[in-house]
Amino acid sequence: MADPQSTPPGDDADQQGATADSGIDADGEQSSGSATDEASVEALRAEVEEKYDFDDFGPEDMAKMTAQEWEVAFEEESWITGGALLDRVADDLRSRVATREVFARVERHTDPQRVLAYSDEGYALVFPDGTVEGHGTVLRDVKPTVALCSMDDYDVPEPPSDDPLPEPDEVPEGGSELGNWMLQLIAGIQLLAGIVLLGGGFLAAIDQIGGAGASPVLLIVAGLAFLAIALVLFLVVANARLSDKFRSEEYRDRLRAIGLSDGERPEFVPALEPDSSGESEDGQHEG
């Protein structure tokens, strides 16, 4: 008697064939999916290379890149990490601070290995693996810097010093006075011309100069126009000097707020505890 649970030989063959066909279909779909993904990556890479000039790639370009663009543009195996990355980040930030692109105090800590940058509005803490945490405008400025410094072909500029921020008392009252002096000279010439024209108009009105064709009204109007121009130029110079003085005082206040006078950090800046690894004697290098 046949076993009621047994399967006819023909059915076994059909099932094996169906299984093999499904396996082939799955492999085919997987291969097709992989090919599609590779094509998408290549298309995105070509788009990124056309969109960005990597010979002149800077923090502004880095800030515009999306995560997908970053992944296809740079190979993860070539990224710089560890202490070398932190050294590059510290040097690059100090260079940008020196050129007034970034306002921050930069500290290169070695125990633990960190780069800490902070201002009166926020901070950024950089870890050896390239992770960045913090808040405010400093975090916004530091993120693209870390990304650039992790690239082996990015040349980090040499900072002028480890402490590029000036002391508050060293900040001058204003910028260069050359432009103001030039405007004052032009305003003075306009003023003299206006006075001469007004005087000529007055003399023409009493028939002391000029003939029948002389127009006192025209001379007086021209003189008043020159005087108005001179007044506007003098006001521009005065406003520029007041603005320079205000900006200088504001800059001094920001320098004091980050502790350049008393050495105290803002309260929101996290304290870094040594990890007891004995990597450094002093634990930090400020700049």
Side-chain angles (χ1 to χ4, degrees), residues 17-148:
T19 303
D21 291 341
S22 63
I24 293 174
D25 292 341
D27 292 341
E29 291 177 359
Q30 185 175 3
S31 300
S32 176
S34 300
T36 303
D37 292 341
E38 291 179 2
S40 300
V41 170
E42 290 299 328
L44 182 57
R45 181 176 289 113
E47 181 181 344
V48 169
E49 291 176 353
E50 181 179 355
K51 182 178 179 181
Y52 300 98
D53 181 11
F54 289 97
D55 292 332
D56 188 22
F57 194 76
E60 296 82 6
D61 298 312
M62 186 61 243
K64 297 177 183 177
M65 293 187 75
T66 64
Q68 289 181 333
E69 290 176 336
W70 171 260
E71 289 178 359
V72 301
F74 307 105
E75 297 179 358
E76 185 174 356
E77 293 78 8
S78 64
W79 294 354
I80 299 174
T81 58
L85 172 62
L86 297 182
D87 290 339
R88 288 164 62 87
V89 169
D91 287 345
D92 194 79
L93 285 176
R94 286 167 180 157
S95 298
R96 297 180 65 192
V97 169
T99 57
R100 299 289 182 93
E101 295 180 45
V102 174
F103 177 79
R105 193 177 192 185
V106 182
E107 297 178 359
R108 171 65 170 98
H109 292 256
T110 54
D111 186 17
Q113 288 277 356
R114 303 286 188 272
V115 169
L116 176 63
Y118 59 91
S119 70
D120 56 332
E121 299 176 349
Y123 78 94
L125 186 62
V126 185
F127 294 82
D129 62 354
T131 304
V132 186
E133 67 177 33
H135 67 82
T137 56
V138 177
L139 178 64
R140 181 198 63 194
D141 294 331
V142 169
K143 277 187 174 181
T145 298
V146 174
L148 282 174

Side-chain angles (χ1 to χ4, degrees), residues 194-215:
I195 293 174
V196 170
L197 288 171
L198 285 177
F202 176 75
L203 293 176
I206 60 176
D207 295 328
Q208 294 297 314
I209 62 171
S215 175

Side-chain angles (χ1 to χ4, degrees), residues 220-234:
I220 292 174
V221 170
L224 291 175
F226 275 90
L227 290 178
I229 294 173
L231 177 62
V232 170
L233 291 177
F234 279 125

Side-chain angles (χ1 to χ4, degrees), residues 160-234:
S161 68
D162 289 341
D163 190 9
L165 287 175
E167 293 292 331
D169 296 336
E170 297 175 356
V171 178
E173 285 295 331
S176 174
E177 282 289 306
L178 179 60
N180 291 334
W181 283 112
M182 291 296 295
L183 283 178
Q184 282 184 305
L185 177 61
I186 296 173
I189 294 173
Q190 300 289 326
L191 178 62
L192 290 176
I195 293 174
V196 170
L197 288 171
L198 285 177
F202 176 75
L203 293 176
I206 60 176
D207 295 328
Q208 294 297 314
I209 62 171
S215 175
V217 175
L218 182 60
L219 291 174
I220 292 174
V221 170
L224 291 175
F226 275 90
L227 290 178
I229 294 173
L231 177 62
V232 170
L233 291 177
F234 279 125

